[in-house]
Amino acid sequence: MKNKILVCYKSVTGFTKGYAEMIAREIECAIRDVKDVTPEILSQYDIVVFGSRFHAGTVDGLKRIKDYVEKSKVKNFIIFATGAMPNAAEGTIRQAWENNLNSDELIHIPHFYMPGGLCYEKMPLSEKILMKTFAAVMKKKLRKKKDKTEEERQFERVISTSYDISSKEYVKPLISLLKEKYM
């Protein structure tokens, strides 16, 4: 007998794992770290929900999981990505999706963004150094700018320290899709 839904995730600092756990609890389905996923495992499910972070403009691990989904013949694939940007950064988020999904995938693969935050304490050292350097450069650049947008002001405030803006509210659209279309 086939299991219906699998939520698999790749998480570095915990935000994506937290969202994956919220989704799995809400719809009472299987959940796995992507490290423990193979095409054979995916083939046991009708629906695969994959979550990861936006990292350097890409959804971390998306290429690999798309390959697995194709090999497994899973018919329904849903993606969610987490990041440090608030939902108000719609243009940036839309551009990130366009960089990760082709035009056909943008139409046919449901995809969701869920703000998480930054957790410098759990970041690998190399990423922490890059992020702190990026923050310093951006803050210096923004200090010189006179007419900052609200998005730029907010970015300037939060980039230097750890913060958590994750919320159960952000999983509701994905949960609604699953309940309305697949359950």
Side-chain angles (χ1 to χ4, degrees), residues 62-73:
L62 181 59
K63 187 176 189 288
R64 178 174 157 215
I65 199 74
K66 283 192 325 187
D67 182 52
Y68 283 11
V69 165
E70 189 176 314
K71 287 177 182 172
S72 70
K73 308 274 192 262

Side-chain angles (χ1 to χ4, degrees), residues 54-177:
F54 275 129
H55 179 66
T58 64
V59 178
D60 196 11
L62 181 59
K63 187 176 189 288
R64 178 174 157 215
I65 199 74
K66 283 192 325 187
D67 182 52
Y68 283 11
V69 165
E70 189 176 314
K71 287 177 182 172
S72 70
K73 308 274 192 262
V74 167
K75 290 178 177 52
N76 300 294
F77 182 48
I78 300 169
I79 305 165
F80 73 90
T82 61
M85 298 171 286
N87 263 357
E90 292 174 7
T92 305
I93 295 165
R94 183 176 47 258
Q95 184 62 53
W97 283 118
E98 289 171 0
N99 291 341
N100 285 273
L101 301 172
N102 66 40
S103 57
D104 188 56
E105 291 170 334
L106 284 166
I107 295 167
H108 294 102
I109 298 175
H111 50 281
F112 300 85
Y113 176 71
M114 299 174 192
L118 283 174
C119 185
Y120 284 107
E121 296 79 13
K122 293 183 181 177
M123 270 185 206
L125 182 60
S126 60
E127 289 183 26
K128 188 183 305 187
I129 291 168
L130 283 172
M131 199 63 194
K132 289 288 189 176
T133 303
F134 173 70
V137 169
M138 290 305 294
K139 285 178 91 172
K140 185 176 179 180
K141 181 179 175 182
L142 287 171
R143 257 186 252 131
K144 295 176 184 179
K145 190 173 179 183
K146 291 182 182 177
D147 297 324
K148 296 176 196 167
T149 66
E150 178 55 35
E151 189 176 316
E152 289 168 331
R153 281 193 288 280
Q154 190 172 10
F155 177 81
E156 193 174 23
R157 282 191 301 272
V158 300
I159 193 71
S160 300
T161 60
S162 295
Y163 63 93
D164 182 349
I165 56 174
S166 57
S167 168
K168 191 173 183 177
E169 292 300 308
Y170 298 124
V171 301
K172 285 183 177 180
L174 193 154
I175 299 289
S176 292
L177 173 75

